Amino acid sequence: MIKKLITYLPFNRMSEIETYFRKNIDNLKTENNIVYVDNVFNPAQLEILKKNYDYVEIRGGNWNDRNLCFLQIIEDSINNPEDILVVDSDNVLNPNFQEIDETLINKGYAFYNVADLSWETGKIDKRSKKIDSFIVNNHRIDVYAYKIYGIWREIFFIGPKQAVRLSPDLLKRINRQALLDLKKALNKIDIRLRNYISDETSIGFVYYYSGIKYIPWIVGTEHIYHSSSPLTDKDTFRMLRAITLAKLAKELFGHGYNRIYWFYFRYKLAYIARSVSIMLKP
């Protein structure tokens, strides 16, 4: 049973606490509910948050990207291990989610990810395979396993993720040194570039070097897409993303993470290819 519910968002999206997170609290009936709010650098911001959202615990910080924020959530959870669900702020969970979670735990899935409804009718990723199925309130829940490590696409990636189930068993397995090294590497990247790195990549790296190669996932949430940061130039985005990932890899050299060298080469090559493509564009 999920005892602690967590979400995370930037200060400018605080309205999602009431719009979506409160619905999830009412659904799961969790007593311990925490919101990590990024881009909080002034005490007055904390006052606004605590005044308007007094039914949750607010943890403000100025991480300046979702990766460092999520790694902080994992670190805090390691120090206080419980049955935790971390849900993206723009999601509304399945109304039967506690029952779904109980069934998964009883079947031995101590941790898993939750994908949105688009995966229910869409084509399943090639890195996923169906491993189980069960019925909750006349609705079939399929369980898939996603391979965290890739060869070319997404060398470290935890797969479909709108929510992440953390458990005491999982948190005991987390490689704290890998978590620390990744935080240090991210902090060496300019804050304007860090958000080109998905938190699925960061979590995938930590899981992989904690000995986790596959992660179960289910469909169990509705993702309400926001439009606060629309993508207007895909080519430039891909170029900047590639050089940022290459920079991240380089910062992790010499720490015993052997796959990071291939990670670096793959994204350095992608950066060069994207740059040439942009230069030759009419």
Side-chain angles (χ1 to χ4, degrees), residues 14 43 52 87 113 135 141 143 147 162 215-216 229 250 255 273:
M14 72 171 86
N52 288 281
V87 59
N113 291 343
I135 303 293
I141 304 294
V143 185
K147 187 171 73 170
Q162 295 299 323
I215 184 160
S229 52
K250 195 169 184 180
H255 292 279

Side-chain angles (χ1 to χ4, degrees), residues 107-122:
K107 282 176 163 283
Y109 301 111
F111 58 93
Y112 57 86
N113 291 343
V114 185
D116 66 80
L117 293 172
S118 66
W119 287 84
E120 203 163 44
T121 55

Side-chain angles (χ1 to χ4, degrees), residues 8 66-67 70-71 74 86 88 113 148 156-159 161 163-164 166 170 174 179 182 186 197-210 212 215:
Y8 60 115
R66 58 188 174 271
N67 295 281
F70 204 107
L71 294 180
I74 293 177
V86 185
D88 285 7
N113 291 343
I148 289 175
F156 301 110
F157 203 75
I158 62 163
K161 176 205 75 73
V164 175
L166 304 176
L170 168 68
I174 295 296
L179 183 65
L182 181 58
L186 285 164
I197 304 169
S198 70
D199 50 2
E200 288 91 344
T201 297
S202 293
I203 303 165
F205 173 86
V206 173
Y207 278 22
Y208 181 84
Y209 283 105
S210 299
I212 300 164
I215 184 160

Side-chain angles (χ1 to χ4, degrees), residues 60-238:
N62 199 27
W63 301 280
N64 286 299
D65 82 281
R66 58 188 174 271
N67 295 281
L68 285 169
C69 184
F70 204 107
L71 294 180
Q72 186 65 55
I73 291 171
I74 293 177
E75 191 171 11
D76 290 348
S77 300
I78 290 171
N79 294 330
N80 187 19
E82 290 186 72
D83 288 298
I84 301 166
L85 187 72
V86 185
V87 59
D88 285 7
S89 60
D90 51 359
N91 277 256
V92 176
L93 294 162
N94 185 303
N96 301 307
F97 201 86
Q98 282 285 27
E99 295 165 83
I100 293 169
D101 177 77
E102 185 178 0
T103 304
L104 284 163
I105 297 301
N106 289 339
K107 282 176 163 283
Y109 301 111
F111 58 93
Y112 57 86
N113 291 343
V114 185
D116 66 80
L117 293 172
S118 66
W119 287 84
E120 203 163 44
T121 55
K123 185 179 179 182
I124 298 302
D125 190 283
K126 290 180 180 178
R127 277 162 65 167
S128 295
K129 62 179 180 179
K130 186 176 174 180
I131 56 173
D132 204 347
S133 185
F134 57 89
I135 303 293
V136 171
N137 288 341
N138 298 317
H139 181 71
R140 192 182 77 181
I141 304 294
D142 293 324
V143 185
Y144 299 89
Y146 184 87
K147 187 171 73 170
I148 289 175
Y149 58 100
I151 302 300
W152 184 256
R153 287 183 64 249
E154 294 146 353
I155 294 167
F156 301 110
F157 203 75
I158 62 163
K161 176 205 75 73
Q162 295 299 323
V164 175
R165 177 65 153 91
L166 304 176
S167 66
D169 287 343
L170 168 68
L171 294 166
K172 286 177 189 174
R173 296 174 62 180
I174 295 296
N175 183 336
R176 289 191 181 219
Q177 190 59 52
L179 183 65
L180 178 62
D181 289 340
L182 181 58
K183 285 177 68 175
K184 287 180 178 177
L186 285 164
N187 273 307
K188 290 179 180 178
I189 296 172
D190 189 277
I191 60 173
R192 284 165 286 272
L193 296 175
R194 282 205 302 260
N195 274 312
Y196 288 108
I197 304 169
S198 70
D199 50 2
E200 288 91 344
T201 297
S202 293
I203 303 165
F205 173 86
V206 173
Y207 278 22
Y208 181 84
Y209 283 105
S210 299
I212 300 164
K213 303 300 188 292
Y214 292 86
I215 184 160
W217 65 271
I218 62 165
V219 173
T221 184
E222 180 185 0
H223 182 199
I224 297 91
Y225 291 88
H226 66 89
S227 56
S228 63
S229 52
L231 179 61
T232 56
D233 185 347
K234 191 177 289 187
D235 290 338
T236 303
F237 171 84
R238 287 175 173 172

Side-chain angles (χ1 to χ4, degrees), residues 252-265:
L252 288 163
F253 282 3
H255 292 279
Y257 307 118
N258 294 333
R259 294 195 88 238
I260 212 68
Y261 295 97
W262 168 243
F263 187 97
Y264 171 81
F265 174 78

Side-chain angles (χ1 to χ4, degrees), residues 6 9 20 119 180 216 281:
I6 297 175
L9 40 67
Y20 307 124
W119 287 84
L180 178 62
K281 209 173 193 180

